[in-house]
Amino acid sequence: MKLAIIAVGQKMPDWAQTAFDDYAKRFPPELRLVCKTVKAEPRSGGKTAVQMMQAEAQRITEAIASACSKNPRVVALDER
């Protein structure tokens, strides 16, 4: 089984990547943990918030499809 963390934003800083790599090693070999970031939609350009979120949602959907098996289970987390 593979667990994929898909995040919107910039590439992780080196310290965060090192911490993630260390944490991922703790999982058993049959449970792989990967982290993938997708580009945030630029906040300029006259797009509405809904349009920006739709563009980011499309990127997330594509990342899930490329990182996971045929029938992924999705758990969405939000800061609120």
Side-chain angles (χ1 to χ4, degrees):
M1 181 189 309
K2 183 193 297 187
L3 297 175
I5 298 171
I6 312 294
V8 176
Q10 304 298 323
K11 182 181 174 227
M12 280 195 290
D14 289 340
W15 66 266
Q17 185 64 53
T18 301
F20 174 83
D21 292 341
D22 180 59
Y23 185 71
K25 288 178 196 173
R26 299 176 191 188
F27 283 80
E30 65 275 4
L31 186 62
R32 249 184 53 215
L33 180 65
V34 296
C35 185
K36 186 171 187 172
T37 57
V38 295
K39 184 182 120 190
E41 189 67 15
R43 299 304 190 237
S44 59
K47 292 184 180 178
T48 66
V50 171
Q51 290 171 323
M52 290 184 286
M53 287 187 285
Q54 286 174 337
E56 291 171 353
Q58 180 63 35
R59 290 187 192 112
I60 292 169
T61 301
E62 291 168 2
I64 291 169
S66 70
C68 299
S69 62
K70 293 179 185 176
N71 297 313
R73 294 189 181 173
V74 178
V75 177
L77 303 177
D78 189 310
E79 70 274 6
R80 289 170 258 142

